Amino acid sequence: MLILKLRDTAIAKSHRPNTLAAEAGLQPAGVGRIEEMLVAANAASVQALARVIRTRETQQIKANLSAIEKIHAWDKTRRMVGTVAELRARGRVLLSLFRYHAADATARNVDALRAVLLQHNIHSVEIPQRWGPPVMRVDLAAIGDQAMEALSMFPGLRSIFPEPRIHTSAAAFGIGPGPLPQPPAGVEHPVVGVFDTGTAASATSLRPWIASTTSYVLPPDTDYVHGTAVASLVAGAKILNGDHAWLPTTRCQVHDTCGLEAAGGNTTDLIVRLAEAVRNAPHVKVWNLSLGGAQIGDHEFSYFAQQLDALSDEHQVLFVVAAGNYTGLPRRGWPVADLHLEDRLSSPGDSVRALTVGAVAHLDSPGAMVAAGHPAPYSRRGPGPVFTPKPDLGRVINQYPHALAPQCGWMREGGRSQ
């Protein structure tokens, strides 16, 4: 794989060196960073590229060459997201293949990787994608150094990256009793899917608001705390928080989907559960995901975000996703004084199709870091990759909102952005 690094003035699609690539027999394979055009090459096409550069003097070729700042290979340093030791420490990794413009070239690349996996006796799990080749999941604990080297040198791999871990978006703390009022008789409420740690049967005042339940995780892997809190806010955030004027009056019933472990889960496991849950509940068109993983990058959309976009397109649903919580130091005020904080969105808040929600403070207080109406200090901020505008909106919320605990008592949740 070759990287054609474009000049800053030639990033637009209309300036890409497509004629040069075609004459040299290079196979387009998308983009890397915003200024990088990727092309598949072999020994013959590299020689053809050199010949075109030396001998072709057409105006189009000259324009194509003037758009290129540098040509270099997509090597091991770009392929490996971390050192071998770092990847081994994480255990499971995902192998992402290049997707070429020609479907037959992509298919040959998949077959070539399967051959390498078979040759080195590497067990893998293929995860089908809505677009492009499958992603392969491999447990590095089960393979040796020689097999690892073979994977790292396979030219058709775009990246080898640790499988992301996903956690709930906030901790919660019980502080006393306070039931949720029952649904009014004769009123039909919208149903929102809540994909979380599940709701507790002991939260008795919440039960009438649970329209249906699906469970993928059972105790002791879940304690129902976070899921109960989130579901209670869906059912009655305004009532549970003193009828504050800035909170909406809308109340919804909940399709309770227990799909996330209390201690967090692996992304591929969550995607399988979420995809099945969405398929099995076609009447649910809005799904709440108060969860998040690592901070996003500047150049590529996170794996989880890409999967959410695919599910949204396939099932015509809207995911409402947390912007994520910034818990690092120094704490952030507003306007932002330090532009180098690690407070960008967490995955999958970079999902293009999702509604990504940040938090806005709703009260003034002496000594507070932000004023009412400003982004809360704990709420992560945008932009998304390649400057996509995120989060999509800021929701008014107390830094410690009241919600229900599993025992049907009140709780206050630690600062949360959605």
Side-chain angles (χ1 to χ4, degrees):
M1 185 64 62
L2 293 180
I3 304 170
L4 308 184
K5 186 178 186 300
L6 307 178
R7 300 182 188 279
D8 292 342
T9 55
I11 291 175
K13 285 185 177 180
S14 59
H15 292 93
R16 290 179 184 172
N18 294 314
T19 301
L20 174 69
E23 290 200 15
L26 302 171
Q27 177 74 237
V31 297
R33 300 189 178 105
I34 192 172
E35 74 280 6
E36 294 176 341
M37 175 178 170
L38 305 183
V39 290
N42 53 32
S45 58
V46 169
Q47 291 179 357
L49 175 62
R51 183 175 64 254
V52 171
I53 293 173
R54 286 196 312 268
T55 63
R56 295 285 283 148
E57 297 185 355
T58 68
Q59 189 173 14
Q60 188 63 49
I61 292 296
K62 286 182 178 180
N64 279 188
L65 289 173
S66 69
I68 300 173
E69 179 179 306
K70 182 181 179 182
I71 301 176
H72 55 109
W74 188 278
D75 58 14
K76 186 176 178 179
T77 61
R78 289 295 296 271
R79 193 172 298 120
M80 303 277 285
V81 182
T83 66
V84 172
E86 290 169 342
L87 291 174
R88 285 195 178 280
R90 293 289 296 274
R92 299 201 315 195
V93 297
L94 301 180
L95 312 181
S96 174
L97 287 150
F98 285 108
R99 178 188 178 190
Y100 306 113
H101 285 196
D104 59 336
T106 299
R108 289 195 299 271
N109 192 34
V110 174
D111 289 340
L113 177 59
R114 287 173 179 150
V116 170
L117 295 171
L118 182 62
Q119 176 186 352
H120 293 275
N121 197 28
I122 302 172
H123 174 71
S124 66
V125 176
E126 290 195 13
I127 305 169
Q129 305 296 295
R130 180 169 171 79
W131 305 285
V135 168
M136 313 287 192
R137 190 180 72 206
V138 172
D139 186 353
L140 293 188
I143 71 172
D145 292 340
Q146 185 177 0
M148 185 69 217
E149 180 67 12
L151 289 178
S152 70
M153 297 302 293
F154 183 74
L157 274 178
R158 183 184 181 101
S159 62
I160 303 173
F161 61 98
E163 180 173 8
R165 292 279 297 177
I166 302 297
H167 302 271
T168 57
S169 63
F173 309 92
I175 61 169
L180 183 71
Q182 303 301 294
V187 177
E188 184 177 352
H189 293 87
V191 178
V192 172
V194 174
F195 185 90
D196 211 285
T197 62
T199 61
S202 57
T204 53
S205 73
L206 179 61
R207 300 324 298 171
W209 290 94
I210 305 301
S212 48
T213 300
T214 301
S215 295
Y216 299 96
V217 180
L218 299 173
D221 294 324
T222 183
D223 54 15
Y224 302 117
V225 172
H226 191 264
T228 299
V230 172
S232 71
L233 292 174
V234 171
K238 187 177 183 72
I239 292 173
L240 292 175
N241 287 275
D243 286 325
H244 192 281
W246 286 9
L247 293 173
T249 58
T250 304
R251 305 177 73 185
C252 298
Q253 288 192 292
V254 173
H255 175 58
D256 174 25
T257 304
C258 184
L260 175 63
E261 293 87 346
N266 291 311
T267 298
T268 57
D269 296 333
L270 301 187
I271 291 167
V272 169
R273 297 167 190 166
L274 181 58
E276 181 178 304
V278 171
R279 271 195 310 272
N280 292 339
H283 62 291
V284 179
K285 296 302 182 182
V286 178
W287 289 80
N288 183 85
L289 302 179
S290 293
L291 46 74
Q295 178 173 281
I296 64 167
D298 292 329
H299 305 289
E300 294 190 18
F301 293 89
S302 68
Y303 176 70
F304 199 174
Q306 294 178 46
Q307 302 308 301
L308 287 191
D309 288 343
L311 285 175
S312 292
D313 286 346
E314 182 177 358
H315 299 284
Q316 296 298 293
V317 297
L318 174 67
F319 294 107
V320 182
V321 181
N325 288 338
Y326 170 62
T327 58
L329 294 174
R331 305 301 292 156
R332 189 192 68 213
W334 200 269
V336 180
D338 186 349
L339 298 180
H340 303 288
L341 299 176
E342 295 291 318
D343 65 340
R344 290 276 298 285
L345 299 170
S346 64
S347 172
D350 53 329
S351 166
V352 174
R353 298 282 191 265
L355 185 70
T356 304
V357 183
V360 175
H362 78 302
L363 292 174
D364 286 313
S365 177
M369 298 193 69
V370 299
H374 288 181
Y378 54 82
S379 185
R380 289 186 170 271
R381 59 181 173 137
V386 293
F387 304 104
T388 51
K390 288 283 179 174
D392 300 287
L393 59 87
R395 188 184 76 168
V396 174
I397 192 165
N398 187 347
Q399 185 170 355
Y400 297 101
H402 294 94
L404 287 186
Q407 292 74 33
C408 206
W410 291 89
M411 61 165 61
R412 271 186 168 177
E413 286 201 280
R416 53 182 292 116
S417 59
Q418 189 265 332

